[in-house]
Amino acid sequence: EIVLTQSPDFQSVTPKEKVTITCRASQSIGSSLHWYQQKPDQSPKLLIKYASQSFSGVPSRFSGSGSGTDFTLTINSLEAEDAATYYCHQSSSLPLTFGPGTKVDIK
Amino acid sequence: QLQLQESGSGLVKPSQTLSLTCAVSGGSISSGGYSWSWIRQPPGKGLEWIGYIYHSGSTYYNPSLKSRVTISVDRSKNQFSLKLSSVTAADTAVYYCARAHVGDHAFDIWGQGTMVTVSS
């Protein structure tokens, strides 16, 4: 099973600040890494697929990069509505697995 | 716009079987090209993938739950279902159904989730 780790666990950020979340895989997964946003009491929403492909309708301030074992989700100019927990997910091999999540709070 | 809606018992006794259904609307589960998954999230915790089924009926389960899980599809009702046997308090969670394209297995559509509590 591929284990995903995320850092940081929690980040408190002021609006308009840049946020960087990293996801590391226990073995190489190519670009089979996806990012989701989950707000309280809501289901997760797909933001980025295949490491860097923005999903339809996602604001351009969200971007992803990386390949192999190290990946990054960047939120440029954070907005108040971006307060949420962000999860990475790998689909390189079964079972599908998720990272533990990074909670982003607005100061 | 395809939508998913979970339904089922919100309270299950320990050792019994949890049963949930995911109704697909706005599209056909038989159209192919997609996998249909169950994912769960214990209160205050992260996401755990349970397994998926293709429209053909072929399945893959998370080895951590494989001995207790059955996922099935009912094409006539345009829905798929989850059964989890011998439940314990550790199975208390919000259960989501979700769709992924077979090419990338990124979950692009999710249901709203349904809370299942295991308690006597």
Side-chain angles (χ1 to χ4, degrees), chain A residues 11-29:
Chain A
Q11 194 165 9
S12 186
V13 188
T14 56
K16 299 187 179 180
E17 195 174 338
K18 179 180 177 179
V19 174
T20 301
I21 299 169
T22 63
C23 178
R24 176 163 289 175
S26 58
Q27 62 191 75
S28 180
I29 57 172

Side-chain angles (χ1 to χ4, degrees), chain A residues 6 9-10 21 34-48 58 62 73 75 80-89 98-106, chain B residues 6 39-48 93-98 107 110-115:
Chain A
Q6 290 183 233
D9 297 330
F10 175 82
I21 299 169
H34 320 294
W35 290 97
Y36 301 84
Q37 176 194 66
Q38 185 179 33
K39 297 181 180 180
D41 298 319
Q42 293 186 18
S43 54
K45 290 180 171 57
L46 179 63
L47 294 175
I48 303 287
V58 173
F62 292 92
L73 173 70
I75 311 173
E81 66 182 26
D82 300 332
T85 300
Y86 294 84
Y87 294 94
C88 56
H89 155 228
F98 292 89
T102 294
K103 186 174 182 179
V104 174
D105 182 60
I106 308 297
Chain B
E6 304 90 345
I39 297 159
R40 70 180 182 178
Q41 184 172 36
K45 296 188 178 180
L47 300 162
E48 180 182 30
V94 175
Y95 285 75
Y96 297 100
C97 56
F107 300 112
W110 295 66
Q112 66 183 28
T114 187
M115 180 69 201

